[in-house]
């Protein structure tokens, strides 16, 4: 982590240099813009234009934009400006860069960074103008040779930009060039030639319209004559002039006849009902004379009154004289005669009703027939009227259309609408630009620096994501589930201080010395029951600082007036004697082989003013270190050290490199694994710890209760070395406190 800020700074500086190079190498490009107004102009040549095209559509404006970018218009501008001989449109051989710059840019790393920066700068910058003068590929220039008209036109169109103004009938015509005067002339020339092209198109359209109108007027005259003749012939043949007077009278007659028909129908229904009732009663021979229509007849009423009087007299005489009396017989004959008259009158009344019903029925049928005749006559008149109306409307329409075409022909002949046809004007001519559009040093360098910063931060974040090393004691305790006994900060020893690596004896390393004292306290106070003396110092890999930790730990323990023995058990790559400036003879190898453990016999002096500290170096190189450390001689040596020293510190090889540390682990009371912050991967540290755990699990026996006290949970501990104080955490606060306390003392 301590190197990553420099990585960010380096990327930012490289980005700034590349941004400066891009600014220095960029040729200024100028853009000139002319603003054109395209109004909605109506031509009166077409009489139906107001109906067909009531307003300008989006497609109409898009058509004008395409005309502005057409190759035919560009060809006119190229010829008008003489661009064929202009230096910007003539291909030249690109200038070669200097040798030093070419060598610098040819580095693969610089090429990759430059390509990445160019793509990002182009993404955040304005799009580049199509280059000329051979300074860009032909695909950007749009031309393969200066002699090709098509290539020249493509190059011109590549520099042209037509952009409409939103919600307005305005369009901006821009042209880009290295020469500011050329940019302004090209934009203005394009606008003027576009107006000329539009006028030419309108004149051509007007001439075509005149020809069309002349043909249409001649045809319409013939149609008017034909339609008027047909109308007059039909009018004369069918007397159409009487239709308007005859139809209303016919409709009134039909209405009156319908009223009479309704009345007749009502009377007929009443008579038919009464006649049927009388006829039915007459056929049955009962009650006819008592029906209302008969009773109401005056003659019948008179006859019935006389009949009642005679009948009353007949009854009186019959009771008085009997039925055979002459007067009684006479009255009886009169009664019979009256009955016959009444019956005859009833039949006459029934016959009268029958005749009346037949008359009403005949009248109703006559009315129906008359109404049908009138309706047929109305339909015939309507058909004639419709046909006449069609012919009349056709004749009138042809006449109006002929008059309209004739008027348009007269207007077009004198070009009356040309004043309204010029609906395109230049609102703002293009001025000669004074500032380039592609050169902005502050913007380019700022974007380059920002991109470099973002790239550096992203690279650092990616490295942090891929980094699986342990950096803080909290991470070590969380992932390995073991206590951290000591936290040693990064340090830099000053020149001139004796015994390089002995931090605890350097006056300038007060904070680190306090950290080793804390490690001493944690190590000795953590193993008081039962008391433990022999501690193995190891690490997963070389260069984790195990020898430095072991040596300085032995020094701070000896400062407490304890008898301390420091043993260099790294027989493959010994380092203790180098750190203490000692001779590497009479060391552990010789003492194990001769079984001479007394250090007063030929042991080299460590040169430190610490009476309680004794040191045994590794000694001469041995071909089989593991077998020697696993032998009974090593057990006897450690038994001797337990009796004569308070604390024994053993510096052993890395546990993942060789098996020496695993061989020594059953002989010690505690194991300290040194982890280098930011360097030791989590999985390697876990593998080292698992090696000891597996060894203890395999060697543990239920019959050996003493082995239970040597379980890894009670004997394994961690030391975090080279901690970066910028990582923060509790140890940083502790070091700050330790530094303050040291300064006060």
């Amino acid at each position: 982590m301590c190197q990553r800020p420099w990585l960010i700074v380096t990327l930012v500086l490289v980005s700034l240099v590349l941004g400066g190079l891009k600014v220095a190498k960029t040729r200024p490009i100028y853009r000139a813009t002319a603003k054109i107004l395209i109004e909605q102009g109506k031509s009166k040549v077409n009489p139906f234009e107001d109906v067909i095209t009531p307003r300008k559509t989006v497609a109409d404006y898009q058509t004008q934009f395409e005309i502005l970018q057409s190759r035919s218009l560009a060809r006119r501008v190229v010829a008008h400006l003489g661009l064929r001989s202009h230096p910007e449109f003539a291909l030249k051989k690109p200038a070669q860069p200097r040798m030093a710059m070419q060598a610098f840019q040819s580095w693969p790393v610089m090429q990759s960074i430059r390509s990445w920066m160019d793509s990002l700068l182009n993404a955040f910058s304005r799009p580049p103008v199509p280059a000329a003068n051979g300074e860009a590929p032909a695909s950007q220039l749009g031309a393969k040779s200066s002699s090709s008209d098509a290539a020249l036109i493509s190059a011109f169109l590549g520099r042209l930009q037509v952009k409409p103004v939103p919600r307005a009938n305005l369009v901006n015509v821009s042209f880009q060039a290295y020469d500011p005067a050329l940019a302004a002339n090209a934009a203005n020339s394009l606008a003027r030639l576009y107006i000329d092209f539009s006028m030419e198109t309108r004149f051509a359209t007007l001439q075509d319209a005149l020809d069309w109108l002349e043909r249409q007027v001649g045809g319409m005259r013939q149609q008017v004559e034909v339609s008027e003749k047909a109308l007059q012939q039909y009018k004369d043949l069918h007397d159409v002039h009487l239709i308007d007077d005859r139809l209303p009278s016919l409709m009134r007659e039909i209405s009156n006849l319908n009223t009479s028909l309704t009345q007749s129908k009502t009377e007929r229904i009443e008579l038919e009902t009464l006649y049927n009732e009388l006829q039915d009663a007459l056929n049955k021979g009962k009650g006819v004379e008592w029906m209302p229509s008969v009773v109401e007849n005056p003659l019948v009423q008179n006859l019935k009154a006389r009949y009642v009087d005679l009948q009353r007299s007949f009854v009186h005489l019959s009771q008085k004289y009997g039925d055979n009396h002459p007067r009684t017989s006479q009255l009886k004959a009169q009664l019979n005669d009256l009955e016959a008259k009444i019956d005859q009158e009833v039949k006459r009344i029934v016959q009268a009703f029958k005749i009346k019903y037949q008359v009403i029925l005949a009248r109703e049928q006559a009315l129906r027939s008359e109404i049908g005749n009138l309706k047929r006559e109305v339909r015939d008149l309507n058909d004639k009227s419709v046909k006449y109306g069609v012919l009349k409307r056709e004749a009138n329409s042809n006449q109006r259309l002929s008059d309209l075409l004739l008027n348009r022909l007269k207007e077009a002949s004198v070009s009356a609408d040309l004043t309204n046809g010029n609906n395109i004007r230049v609102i703002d001519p293009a001025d000669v630009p004074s500032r380039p559009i592609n050169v902005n040093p502050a913007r380019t360098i700022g974007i380059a620096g920002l991109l470099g910063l973002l790239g550096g931060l992203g690279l650092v974040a990616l490295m942090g994501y891929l980094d699986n090393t342990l950096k803080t004691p909290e991470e070590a305790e969380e992932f390995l589930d073991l206590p951290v006994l000591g936290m040693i900060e990064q340090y830099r020893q000053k020149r001139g201080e004796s015994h390089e690596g002995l931090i605890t004896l350097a006056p300038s390393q007060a904070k680190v010395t306090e950290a080793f004292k804390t490690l001493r306290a944690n190590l000795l106070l953590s193993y008081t029951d039962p008391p433990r003396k022999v501690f193995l110092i190891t690490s997963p890999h070389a260069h984790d600082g195990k020898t430095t930790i072991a040596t300085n730990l032995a020094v701070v323990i000896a400062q407490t007036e304890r008898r301390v023995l420091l043993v260099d058990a790294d027989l493959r790559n010994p380092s203790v004697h180098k750190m203490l400036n000692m001779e590497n003879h009479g060391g552990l190898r010789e003492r194990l082989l001769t079984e001479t453990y007394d250090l007063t016999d030929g042991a080299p002096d460590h040169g430190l003013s610490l009476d309680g500290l004794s040191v045994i170096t590794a000694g001469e190189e041995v071909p089989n270190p593991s077998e020697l450390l696993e032998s009974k001689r090593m057990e006897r040596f450690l038994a001797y050290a337990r009796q004569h020293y308070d604390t024994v510190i053993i510096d052993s090889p890395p546990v993942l490199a060789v098996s020496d540390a695993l061989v020594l682990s059953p002989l010690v009371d505690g194991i300290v694994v040194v982890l280098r912050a930011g360097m030791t991967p989590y999985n390697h540290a876990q593998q080292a710890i698992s090696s000891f755990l597996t060894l203890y699990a395999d060697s543990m026996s239920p019959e050996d209760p003493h082995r239970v006290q040597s379980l890894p949970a009670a004997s394994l501990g961690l030391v975090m070395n080279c901690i970066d104080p910028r990582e923060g955490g509790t140890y940083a606060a502790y070091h700050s406190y330790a530094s303050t306390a040291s300064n006060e003392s």
Side-chain angles (χ1 to χ4, degrees):
M1 280 297 290
C2 61
Q3 301 297 327
R4 293 178 185 174
W6 294 106
L7 176 61
I8 298 176
V9 173
T10 301
L11 286 178
V12 171
L13 292 178
V14 171
S15 300
L16 292 176
V17 171
L18 292 177
L21 291 175
K22 182 175 180 63
V23 171
K25 293 182 61 178
T26 302
R27 187 177 179 183
I29 299 173
Y30 297 89
R31 176 189 294 163
T33 302
K35 184 170 293 185
I36 301 176
L37 172 65
I38 304 177
E39 291 182 321
Q40 179 180 354
K42 293 183 179 180
S43 174
K44 298 181 180 180
V45 174
N46 186 359
F48 304 105
E49 184 176 6
D50 292 340
V51 179
I52 300 175
T53 57
R55 60 181 180 274
K56 207 79 169 179
T57 63
V58 177
D60 297 329
Y61 288 111
Q62 187 64 35
T63 302
Q64 299 302 318
F65 302 153
E66 294 298 328
I67 293 175
L68 282 168
Q69 303 175 85
S70 63
R71 299 183 68 87
S72 60
L73 184 60
R75 184 178 291 105
R76 294 188 179 191
V77 179
V78 168
H80 177 75
L81 296 177
L83 296 182
R84 181 182 300 278
S85 59
H86 197 279
E88 282 200 25
F89 289 85
L91 291 176
K92 296 180 182 180
K93 186 177 180 180
Q96 296 294 333
R98 297 179 180 179
M99 296 300 296
M101 183 62 67
Q102 186 177 10
F104 175 74
Q105 295 179 357
S106 63
W107 292 354
V109 176
M110 294 305 300
Q111 290 179 352
S112 301
I113 296 178
R114 181 183 176 186
S115 176
W116 177 70
M117 288 294 299
D118 287 343
S119 61
L120 290 179
L121 287 174
N122 291 334
F124 285 96
S125 304
R126 297 181 177 90
V129 67
N133 295 339
E135 296 180 359
S139 59
Q140 292 185 2
L141 175 63
K144 296 182 179 179
S145 64
S146 60
S147 61
S148 174
D149 291 339
L152 194 59
I153 294 172
S154 298
F156 180 85
L157 291 177
R159 297 164 176 250
L160 180 65
Q161 182 181 13
V162 177
K163 186 176 182 181
V165 178
R167 295 183 296 275
N169 298 334
L170 299 173
V171 58
N172 292 324
V173 178
S174 303
F175 191 81
Q176 300 177 7
Y178 297 122
D179 183 3
L182 174 62
N185 291 335
N188 291 327
S189 298
L190 181 69
R192 289 193 299 270
L193 293 178
Y194 167 65
I195 294 175
D196 295 342
F197 176 80
S198 177
M199 293 297 295
E200 292 175 5
T201 304
R202 290 180 181 276
F203 276 116
T205 304
L206 178 60
Q207 188 60 44
D208 294 339
L210 288 173
D211 296 340
W212 178 81
L213 285 174
E214 289 178 354
R215 294 193 299 270
Q216 293 298 321
V217 167
M220 287 306 301
R221 286 175 179 174
Q222 296 178 0
Q223 292 184 14
V224 169
E225 293 177 0
V226 172
S227 60
E228 288 181 351
K229 288 181 180 180
L231 178 64
Q232 187 62 36
Q233 291 176 359
Y234 187 85
K235 187 175 181 180
D236 296 339
L237 180 63
H238 297 282
D239 293 332
V240 180
H241 58 280
L242 299 177
I243 293 177
D244 296 337
D245 298 333
R246 178 61 177 160
L247 276 176
S249 62
L250 287 176
M251 297 305 297
R252 286 194 297 271
E253 291 181 15
I254 292 175
S255 177
N256 294 333
L257 290 177
N258 281 327
T259 303
S260 300
L261 176 62
T262 302
Q263 294 176 354
S264 298
K265 185 177 180 180
T266 302
E267 294 177 3
R268 190 261 303 169
I269 293 173
E270 293 177 355
L271 289 175
E272 182 179 7
T273 303
L274 181 59
Y275 171 74
N276 291 333
E277 290 178 355
L278 292 174
Q279 187 65 36
D280 183 64
L282 185 62
N283 294 332
K284 293 180 179 180
K286 57 179 180 179
V288 179
E289 65 276 9
W290 299 110
M291 295 187 68
S293 56
V294 176
V295 173
E296 292 176 357
N297 188 275
L299 180 58
V300 173
Q301 290 179 356
N302 187 19
L303 292 175
K304 283 189 174 183
R306 289 175 59 191
Y307 182 82
V308 171
D309 292 339
L310 288 176
Q311 189 176 19
R312 187 181 302 114
S313 299
F314 175 77
V315 171
H316 178 73
L317 291 177
S318 178
Q319 291 177 354
K320 184 177 179 180
Y321 299 108
D323 295 335
N324 296 322
H325 190 272
R327 292 186 63 183
T328 304
S329 299
Q330 185 181 1
L331 288 176
K332 187 174 181 180
Q334 291 179 353
L335 287 173
N336 291 333
D337 184 48
L338 285 176
E339 287 180 357
K341 289 182 178 180
I342 290 173
D343 291 339
Q344 185 179 0
E345 186 62 24
V346 168
K347 290 179 180 180
R348 187 188 64 80
I349 292 173
V350 172
Q351 186 65 25
F353 273 110
K354 180 178 179 181
I355 294 172
K356 189 175 182 180
Y357 162 73
Q358 291 176 348
V359 171
I360 293 295
L361 180 61
R363 180 185 175 188
E364 180 182 351
Q365 292 175 351
L367 288 174
R368 291 181 183 275
S369 177
E370 184 63 19
I371 291 174
N373 294 332
L374 292 177
K375 286 183 177 180
R376 283 192 294 273
E377 185 177 356
V378 168
R379 283 196 297 270
D380 184 57
L381 291 177
N382 284 332
D383 292 340
K384 293 179 181 180
S385 177
V386 170
K387 180 63 175 179
Y388 173 75
V390 170
L391 293 175
K392 186 176 182 180
R393 284 193 298 273
E394 183 179 359
N396 293 336
S397 176
N398 290 336
Q399 184 62 44
R400 287 195 301 271
L401 185 57
S402 177
D403 296 340
L404 182 60
L405 289 175
L406 185 60
N407 292 333
R408 295 301 185 187
L409 178 60
K410 293 178 180 180
E411 292 176 0
S413 299
V414 296
S415 303
D417 67 329
L418 290 182
T419 55
N420 296 329
N422 187 13
N423 60 339
I424 302 174
R425 297 190 300 276
V426 177
I427 301 300
D428 293 328
D431 298 327
V432 178
S434 59
R435 298 181 60 182
I437 62 172
N438 65 326
V439 179
N440 190 342
R443 175 186 174 88
T444 303
I445 295 177
I447 292 176
L450 179 61
L451 293 177
L453 178 61
L454 295 178
L457 293 176
L459 183 59
V460 168
L462 178 62
M463 294 175 62
Y465 176 77
L466 299 177
D467 187 8
N468 64 341
T469 59
L470 298 172
K471 302 174 185 63
T472 64
E474 287 81 358
E475 291 181 358
E477 290 183 349
E478 179 182 359
F479 290 117
L480 301 178
D481 197 20
L482 288 176
V484 176
L485 303 177
M487 298 169 286
I488 310 302
E489 185 181 322
Q490 286 180 345
Y491 68 93
R492 180 174 294 179
Q493 197 165 357
K494 295 183 179 180
R495 293 183 179 181
E497 293 180 344
S498 60
H499 300 292
E500 182 180 358
L502 287 178
I503 315 164
T504 53
L505 298 180
S508 62
Q509 303 296 333
K511 293 193 298 183
V512 182
T513 302
E514 289 296 330
F516 274 101
K517 291 180 180 180
T518 303
L519 172 61
R520 176 189 64 190
N522 291 334
L523 186 66
L524 297 180
L525 297 179
S526 298
Y527 306 108
T528 58
D529 188 20
R532 302 184 182 184
K533 296 183 176 182
V534 183
F535 297 96
L536 180 69
I537 310 298
T538 185
S539 64
H541 300 289
H543 308 295
D544 287 339
K546 61 178 184 57
T547 301
T548 303
I549 298 297
T551 305
N552 286 275
L553 179 61
V555 170
V556 295
I557 294 177
Q559 290 175 349
T560 61
E561 298 182 358
R562 291 175 178 267
R563 293 174 299 169
V564 180
L565 176 61
L566 175 61
V567 180
D568 189 353
D570 191 351
L571 303 181
R572 305 171 189 269
N573 186 21
S575 302
V576 173
H577 68 283
K578 298 178 183 178
M579 186 173 295
L580 298 178
N581 294 329
M582 297 175 58
E583 297 292 335
N584 191 18
H585 61 80
L588 181 60
R589 171 187 174 277
E590 290 80 10
R591 296 188 179 278
L592 291 181
L593 293 178
T594 61
E595 297 195 33
T596 302
Y597 308 138
D598 189 1
L599 299 184
T600 60
D601 183 13
D605 187 13
H606 50 67
L608 302 177
S609 58
L610 292 173
D611 297 335
L613 177 62
S614 300
V615 180
I616 296 181
T617 61
E620 300 296 334
E621 184 177 356
V622 61
N624 51 352
S626 298
E627 288 76 1
L628 183 61
L629 295 177
E630 196 175 5
S631 64
K632 294 294 184 179
R633 298 183 181 190
M634 188 65 186
E635 293 185 12
R636 290 192 290 270
F637 168 72
L638 291 179
Y640 172 84
R642 289 177 185 274
Q643 295 177 0
H644 294 81
Y645 295 94
D646 298 325
T647 304
V648 179
I649 304 297
I650 302 176
D651 180 20
S652 66
V655 65
L656 296 182
V658 293
S659 61
D660 295 356
L662 297 177
V663 169
L664 292 173
S665 60
L667 306 178
V668 300
D669 300 329
I671 301 173
V672 177
V673 180
V674 179
L675 306 177
R676 188 179 181 92
M679 294 294 292
T680 304
Y682 155 72
N683 55 338
H684 291 183
Q686 189 178 43
Q687 184 179 355
I689 300 301
S690 300
S691 300
F692 290 111
L693 296 177
T694 303
L695 180 64
Y696 273 81
D698 294 341
S699 60
M700 187 176 64
S701 174
E703 292 80 8
D704 188 1
H706 179 70
R707 183 65 67 183
V708 177
Q709 301 299 328
S710 300
L711 289 176
S715 60
L716 279 174
L718 306 176
V719 172
M720 293 295 295
N721 190 25
C722 293
I723 296 178
D724 188 350
R726 292 171 296 181
E727 292 291 343
T730 57
Y731 56 92
Y734 165 77
H735 286 317
S736 176
Y737 176 80
S739 177
T740 304
S742 176
N743 294 333
E744 292 177 355
S745 62

